Amino acid sequence: MSCLPVLPRMLQPDRLKQLNEHLVDTTGCFAFLKTDQVLFSLTPQQWQDAYTVFGVGLYAVYHDYGCRFLYSILLSDDFCPDTLPKPSKHRLHVYTLNQDIRTNLAHGLLYPFQRTKLQRKLLGYYLQNHPQAPGIWPDYVNQLNEQDWMQIAQRLIKDSDDLYDFLWSWGDEWAKTPEDLPELQEQFVTYRDYFANSFDDRVCRPLLRNYGIGQSDIFQYTRSNGQTAPIDRWRQQLIEAYRNGKRHPEELCHELEQYIGRELEQSGQSSIDIAAEFGF
């Protein structure tokens, strides 16, 4: 083999953090709630392995770290600077990765049509003009050779790196009109409630469990009723914290942890009680 796969920049050490900090520094907005390096247990030696490893890793970045900030806000046409092309191809890349690729890589799907959907995606999106029809799972993927998988993985890497470049340019272009940044930041926290809804059960549950709240009790805190539920109050507090200058996602995560701690203390379960019961 002439070359080995190279990690997409989103997965390279510190590159995701650099991108997110660039966005905060230039615009006050961010694409990812967290930027911790995604753990890899191997360096791919084959292109098919690279496709699998990178597909799962990028899902962690786009879905778990990106929440709704990435796909629903920054990649919305409504937020695209006039000087940049509309980000439709980047939305397609993220959607394909999150909905089709990762599902087929990380789940034991029960029905052949779910797998055949991936085969069609490989044929039409990554291997254009490939002569073989998808057929019934797993006939199509089993007949792909290393050259095919190299083309597939290289397209995945390129699409991810193009998204990285777009987001970097997104920050640069908005920074050219600093008078527009206050409005941009207000839209960032109010646009269709995507900012608030990114702080969902998935984000809050680990903090609640860390305070000793059992699984059966978590939903009393994270089930939204649109106004008075604990999670609704936390979301509104996070919006206000952002408006008051806490623009880094790390600051907002720290704020959320404090809100949850105060909520439990006010409900009669103090941090001292929690520590005594659970040994913290």
Short mmCIF file of all heavy atoms in Angstrom, two decimals, residues 202-241:
data_model
loop_
_atom_site.label_atom_id
_atom_site.label_comp_id
_atom_site.label_asym_id
_atom_site.label_seq_id
_atom_site.Cartn_x
_atom_site.Cartn_y
_atom_site.Cartn_z
N ARG A 202 -29.02 14.14 28.03
CA ARG A 202 -27.72 13.51 27.79
C ARG A 202 -26.59 14.29 28.45
O ARG A 202 -25.62 13.71 28.94
CB ARG A 202 -27.49 13.40 26.28
CG ARG A 202 -26.16 12.80 25.89
CD ARG A 202 -26.09 12.68 24.37
NE ARG A 202 -26.22 13.97 23.73
CZ ARG A 202 -25.17 14.75 23.44
NH1 ARG A 202 -23.95 14.37 23.76
NH2 ARG A 202 -25.34 15.91 22.83
N VAL A 203 -26.71 15.62 28.46
CA VAL A 203 -25.68 16.47 29.06
C VAL A 203 -25.84 16.55 30.58
O VAL A 203 -24.85 16.53 31.32
CB VAL A 203 -25.75 17.89 28.44
CG1 VAL A 203 -24.78 18.83 29.15
CG2 VAL A 203 -25.45 17.82 26.94
N CYS A 204 -27.07 16.60 31.04
CA CYS A 204 -27.32 16.80 32.48
C CYS A 204 -27.23 15.51 33.28
O CYS A 204 -26.85 15.53 34.47
CB CYS A 204 -28.70 17.43 32.69
SG CYS A 204 -28.89 19.07 31.97
N ARG A 205 -27.58 14.39 32.66
CA ARG A 205 -27.66 13.14 33.42
C ARG A 205 -26.34 12.77 34.11
O ARG A 205 -26.36 12.39 35.29
CB ARG A 205 -28.11 12.00 32.51
CG ARG A 205 -28.33 10.68 33.29
CD ARG A 205 -28.53 9.52 32.34
NE ARG A 205 -29.63 9.78 31.45
CZ ARG A 205 -29.61 9.52 30.14
NH1 ARG A 205 -28.51 9.02 29.60
NH2 ARG A 205 -30.66 9.75 29.40
N PRO A 206 -25.18 12.86 33.44
CA PRO A 206 -23.94 12.48 34.14
C PRO A 206 -23.67 13.35 35.37
O PRO A 206 -23.14 12.85 36.38
CB PRO A 206 -22.86 12.68 33.07
CG PRO A 206 -23.57 12.55 31.77
CD PRO A 206 -24.92 13.15 32.01
N LEU A 207 -24.02 14.63 35.30
CA LEU A 207 -23.82 15.51 36.45
C LEU A 207 -24.74 15.11 37.60
O LEU A 207 -24.32 15.08 38.76
CB LEU A 207 -24.06 16.96 36.04
CG LEU A 207 -23.08 17.54 35.03
CD1 LEU A 207 -23.53 18.93 34.59
CD2 LEU A 207 -21.67 17.59 35.59
N LEU A 208 -25.98 14.81 37.29
CA LEU A 208 -26.91 14.39 38.32
C LEU A 208 -26.47 13.06 38.95
O LEU A 208 -26.54 12.89 40.17
CB LEU A 208 -28.32 14.26 37.73
CG LEU A 208 -29.00 15.58 37.40
CD1 LEU A 208 -30.16 15.37 36.43
CD2 LEU A 208 -29.50 16.27 38.67
N ARG A 209 -26.02 12.15 38.12
CA ARG A 209 -25.56 10.87 38.65
C ARG A 209 -24.32 11.06 39.52
O ARG A 209 -24.13 10.36 40.52
CB ARG A 209 -25.28 9.89 37.51
CG ARG A 209 -26.53 9.42 36.79
CD ARG A 209 -26.19 8.45 35.68
NE ARG A 209 -25.64 7.21 36.21
CZ ARG A 209 -26.36 6.17 36.59
NH1 ARG A 209 -27.68 6.22 36.51
NH2 ARG A 209 -25.79 5.07 37.06
N ASN A 210 -23.48 12.02 39.14
CA ASN A 210 -22.28 12.29 39.93
C ASN A 210 -22.64 12.83 41.30
O ASN A 210 -21.88 12.67 42.27
CB ASN A 210 -21.38 13.28 39.19
CG ASN A 210 -20.00 13.37 39.80
OD1 ASN A 210 -19.35 12.36 40.05
ND2 ASN A 210 -19.55 14.59 40.06
N TYR A 211 -23.79 13.48 41.40
CA TYR A 211 -24.28 13.96 42.70
C TYR A 211 -25.08 12.89 43.44
O TYR A 211 -25.64 13.16 44.50
CB TYR A 211 -25.16 15.20 42.50
CG TYR A 211 -24.38 16.50 42.42
CD1 TYR A 211 -24.22 17.16 41.21
CD2 TYR A 211 -23.82 17.07 43.56
CE1 TYR A 211 -23.52 18.36 41.13
CE2 TYR A 211 -23.12 18.26 43.49
CZ TYR A 211 -22.98 18.90 42.28
OH TYR A 211 -22.28 20.08 42.20
N GLY A 212 -25.15 11.68 42.86
CA GLY A 212 -25.79 10.59 43.56
C GLY A 212 -27.26 10.42 43.26
O GLY A 212 -27.95 9.64 43.94
N ILE A 213 -27.79 11.11 42.25
CA ILE A 213 -29.19 10.96 41.89
C ILE A 213 -29.36 9.66 41.10
O ILE A 213 -28.66 9.43 40.11
CB ILE A 213 -29.68 12.16 41.06
CG1 ILE A 213 -29.49 13.45 41.86
CG2 ILE A 213 -31.14 11.97 40.67
CD1 ILE A 213 -30.22 13.48 43.17
N GLY A 214 -30.29 8.83 41.53
CA GLY A 214 -30.51 7.55 40.88
C GLY A 214 -31.22 7.71 39.55
O GLY A 214 -31.89 8.73 39.28
N GLN A 215 -31.12 6.69 38.71
CA GLN A 215 -31.69 6.75 37.37
C GLN A 215 -33.18 7.01 37.40
O GLN A 215 -33.71 7.76 36.58
CB GLN A 215 -31.41 5.43 36.63
CG GLN A 215 -31.88 5.40 35.19
CD GLN A 215 -31.18 6.43 34.32
OE1 GLN A 215 -29.99 6.65 34.47
NE2 GLN A 215 -31.92 7.08 33.44
N SER A 216 -33.88 6.41 38.36
CA SER A 216 -35.34 6.57 38.41
C SER A 216 -35.76 7.98 38.77
O SER A 216 -36.90 8.38 38.51
CB SER A 216 -35.93 5.58 39.41
OG SER A 216 -35.42 5.82 40.72
N ASP A 217 -34.85 8.76 39.37
CA ASP A 217 -35.18 10.12 39.79
C ASP A 217 -34.68 11.19 38.84
O ASP A 217 -35.04 12.37 38.99
CB ASP A 217 -34.60 10.39 41.19
CG ASP A 217 -35.22 9.50 42.25
OD1 ASP A 217 -36.43 9.25 42.17
OD2 ASP A 217 -34.48 9.06 43.15
N ILE A 218 -33.87 10.81 37.88
CA ILE A 218 -33.23 11.81 37.02
C ILE A 218 -34.25 12.57 36.20
O ILE A 218 -34.15 13.80 36.02
CB ILE A 218 -32.16 11.15 36.13
CG1 ILE A 218 -30.91 10.87 36.95
CG2 ILE A 218 -31.82 12.02 34.92
CD1 ILE A 218 -29.82 10.15 36.21
N PHE A 219 -35.28 11.88 35.71
CA PHE A 219 -36.21 12.55 34.80
C PHE A 219 -37.03 13.64 35.47
O PHE A 219 -37.57 14.51 34.80
CB PHE A 219 -37.13 11.53 34.14
CG PHE A 219 -36.46 10.73 33.06
CD1 PHE A 219 -36.34 9.36 33.18
CD2 PHE A 219 -35.92 11.34 31.94
CE1 PHE A 219 -35.70 8.62 32.21
CE2 PHE A 219 -35.28 10.62 30.96
CZ PHE A 219 -35.17 9.24 31.09
N GLN A 220 -37.13 13.63 36.80
CA GLN A 220 -37.84 14.72 37.47
C GLN A 220 -37.08 16.03 37.31
O GLN A 220 -37.66 17.11 37.45
CB GLN A 220 -38.06 14.41 38.94
CG GLN A 220 -36.81 14.42 39.79
CD GLN A 220 -37.10 14.22 41.26
OE1 GLN A 220 -37.82 15.01 41.87
NE2 GLN A 220 -36.55 13.15 41.83
N TYR A 221 -35.79 15.93 37.01
CA TYR A 221 -34.98 17.13 36.79
C TYR A 221 -34.83 17.45 35.30
O TYR A 221 -34.70 18.63 34.94
CB TYR A 221 -33.58 16.93 37.39
CG TYR A 221 -33.58 16.76 38.88
CD1 TYR A 221 -33.52 15.49 39.46
CD2 TYR A 221 -33.65 17.87 39.73
CE1 TYR A 221 -33.52 15.33 40.84
CE2 TYR A 221 -33.64 17.72 41.11
CZ TYR A 221 -33.59 16.44 41.66
OH TYR A 221 -33.59 16.30 43.03
N THR A 222 -34.82 16.44 34.44
CA THR A 222 -34.49 16.67 33.03
C THR A 222 -35.68 16.61 32.09
O THR A 222 -35.52 16.79 30.88
CB THR A 222 -33.44 15.64 32.55
OG1 THR A 222 -33.99 14.31 32.63
CG2 THR A 222 -32.18 15.73 33.39
N ARG A 223 -36.87 16.35 32.60
CA ARG A 223 -38.06 16.35 31.74
C ARG A 223 -38.61 17.77 31.65
O ARG A 223 -39.10 18.33 32.61
CB ARG A 223 -39.12 15.39 32.28
CG ARG A 223 -40.34 15.26 31.35
CD ARG A 223 -41.39 14.35 31.95
NE ARG A 223 -40.96 12.96 32.01
CZ ARG A 223 -40.69 12.30 33.13
NH1 ARG A 223 -40.82 12.93 34.31
NH2 ARG A 223 -40.31 11.05 33.11
N SER A 224 -38.51 18.34 30.48
CA SER A 224 -38.91 19.74 30.29
C SER A 224 -40.43 19.88 30.21
O SER A 224 -41.12 19.03 29.64
CB SER A 224 -38.29 20.26 28.98
OG SER A 224 -38.83 21.53 28.65
N ASN A 225 -40.93 20.95 30.82
CA ASN A 225 -42.33 21.32 30.58
C ASN A 225 -42.42 22.70 29.92
O ASN A 225 -43.48 23.30 29.85
CB ASN A 225 -43.13 21.29 31.89
CG ASN A 225 -42.61 22.29 32.93
OD1 ASN A 225 -41.91 23.25 32.60
ND2 ASN A 225 -42.94 22.06 34.19
N GLY A 226 -41.27 23.17 29.46
CA GLY A 226 -41.23 24.42 28.72
C GLY A 226 -41.10 25.68 29.55
O GLY A 226 -40.92 26.76 29.01
N GLN A 227 -41.14 25.54 30.88
CA GLN A 227 -41.10 26.76 31.68
C GLN A 227 -40.54 26.57 33.09
O GLN A 227 -39.57 27.23 33.46
CB GLN A 227 -42.51 27.36 31.79
CG GLN A 227 -42.55 28.71 32.47
CD GLN A 227 -43.94 29.32 32.43
OE1 GLN A 227 -44.89 28.69 31.98
NE2 GLN A 227 -44.07 30.55 32.91
N THR A 228 -41.11 25.66 33.89
CA THR A 228 -40.80 25.63 35.31
C THR A 228 -39.99 24.42 35.75
O THR A 228 -39.58 24.34 36.91
CB THR A 228 -42.10 25.67 36.15
OG1 THR A 228 -42.89 24.50 35.81
CG2 THR A 228 -42.89 26.92 35.86
N ALA A 229 -39.76 23.47 34.88
CA ALA A 229 -38.97 22.30 35.26
C ALA A 229 -37.54 22.72 35.54
O ALA A 229 -37.05 23.73 35.01
CB ALA A 229 -39.01 21.26 34.14
N PRO A 230 -36.82 21.98 36.40
CA PRO A 230 -35.43 22.34 36.68
C PRO A 230 -34.60 22.55 35.42
O PRO A 230 -33.85 23.53 35.33
CB PRO A 230 -34.93 21.15 37.51
CG PRO A 230 -36.14 20.67 38.23
CD PRO A 230 -37.27 20.84 37.24
N ILE A 231 -34.71 21.65 34.45
CA ILE A 231 -33.88 21.80 33.26
C ILE A 231 -34.23 23.07 32.49
O ILE A 231 -33.35 23.69 31.88
CB ILE A 231 -34.00 20.55 32.34
CG1 ILE A 231 -32.88 20.57 31.29
CG2 ILE A 231 -35.37 20.46 31.70
CD1 ILE A 231 -32.76 19.29 30.50
N ASP A 232 -35.48 23.49 32.53
CA ASP A 232 -35.86 24.73 31.85
C ASP A 232 -35.24 25.94 32.53
O ASP A 232 -34.80 26.89 31.87
CB ASP A 232 -37.39 24.87 31.81
CG ASP A 232 -38.05 23.79 30.97
OD1 ASP A 232 -37.52 23.49 29.88
OD2 ASP A 232 -39.08 23.25 31.40
N ARG A 233 -35.18 25.91 33.85
CA ARG A 233 -34.54 27.00 34.59
C ARG A 233 -33.04 27.02 34.29
O ARG A 233 -32.46 28.09 34.10
CB ARG A 233 -34.79 26.86 36.09
CG ARG A 233 -36.25 27.01 36.49
CD ARG A 233 -36.38 27.28 37.99
NE ARG A 233 -35.81 26.20 38.80
CZ ARG A 233 -36.49 25.11 39.17
NH1 ARG A 233 -37.73 24.95 38.78
NH2 ARG A 233 -35.91 24.19 39.93
N TRP A 234 -32.42 25.83 34.28
CA TRP A 234 -30.99 25.78 33.99
C TRP A 234 -30.70 26.34 32.59
O TRP A 234 -29.72 27.06 32.40
CB TRP A 234 -30.49 24.35 34.09
CG TRP A 234 -30.73 23.70 35.41
CD1 TRP A 234 -30.94 24.34 36.62
CD2 TRP A 234 -30.81 22.31 35.68
NE1 TRP A 234 -31.15 23.42 37.61
CE2 TRP A 234 -31.07 22.16 37.08
CE3 TRP A 234 -30.69 21.17 34.90
CZ2 TRP A 234 -31.21 20.91 37.67
CZ3 TRP A 234 -30.83 19.91 35.49
CH2 TRP A 234 -31.09 19.80 36.86
N ARG A 235 -31.53 25.99 31.65
CA ARG A 235 -31.33 26.47 30.28
C ARG A 235 -31.42 27.99 30.22
O ARG A 235 -30.59 28.64 29.57
CB ARG A 235 -32.35 25.83 29.35
CG ARG A 235 -32.08 24.37 29.05
CD ARG A 235 -33.27 23.70 28.39
NE ARG A 235 -32.91 22.38 27.87
CZ ARG A 235 -33.79 21.50 27.38
NH1 ARG A 235 -35.09 21.82 27.36
NH2 ARG A 235 -33.38 20.33 26.92
N GLN A 236 -32.40 28.56 30.87
CA GLN A 236 -32.53 30.01 30.85
C GLN A 236 -31.36 30.68 31.57
O GLN A 236 -30.85 31.72 31.12
CB GLN A 236 -33.85 30.44 31.50
CG GLN A 236 -34.16 31.92 31.35
CD GLN A 236 -34.19 32.37 29.91
OE1 GLN A 236 -34.77 31.72 29.05
NE2 GLN A 236 -33.54 33.51 29.62
N GLN A 237 -30.90 30.07 32.64
CA GLN A 237 -29.73 30.60 33.34
C GLN A 237 -28.48 30.55 32.47
O GLN A 237 -27.64 31.46 32.51
CB GLN A 237 -29.51 29.82 34.65
CG GLN A 237 -30.55 30.10 35.73
CD GLN A 237 -30.41 29.16 36.91
OE1 GLN A 237 -30.25 27.94 36.75
NE2 GLN A 237 -30.47 29.71 38.12
N LEU A 238 -28.35 29.50 31.69
CA LEU A 238 -27.19 29.39 30.79
C LEU A 238 -27.25 30.45 29.69
O LEU A 238 -26.21 31.01 29.31
CB LEU A 238 -27.15 27.99 30.16
CG LEU A 238 -26.72 26.87 31.11
CD1 LEU A 238 -27.01 25.51 30.51
CD2 LEU A 238 -25.25 26.99 31.47
N ILE A 239 -28.43 30.74 29.20
CA ILE A 239 -28.58 31.82 28.21
C ILE A 239 -28.15 33.14 28.81
O ILE A 239 -27.41 33.92 28.19
CB ILE A 239 -30.03 31.88 27.69
CG1 ILE A 239 -30.34 30.65 26.82
CG2 ILE A 239 -30.27 33.17 26.90
CD1 ILE A 239 -31.78 30.55 26.40
N GLU A 240 -28.58 33.39 30.03
CA GLU A 240 -28.22 34.65 30.68
C GLU A 240 -26.72 34.69 30.98
O GLU A 240 -26.08 35.75 30.87
CB GLU A 240 -29.03 34.83 31.97
CG GLU A 240 -30.52 35.04 31.73
CD GLU A 240 -30.78 36.21 30.79
OE1 GLU A 240 -30.12 37.27 30.93
OE2 GLU A 240 -31.65 36.08 29.91
N ALA A 241 -26.15 33.55 31.37
CA ALA A 241 -24.70 33.50 31.62
C ALA A 241 -23.93 33.83 30.34
O ALA A 241 -22.95 34.57 30.36
CB ALA A 241 -24.30 32.13 32.15
#
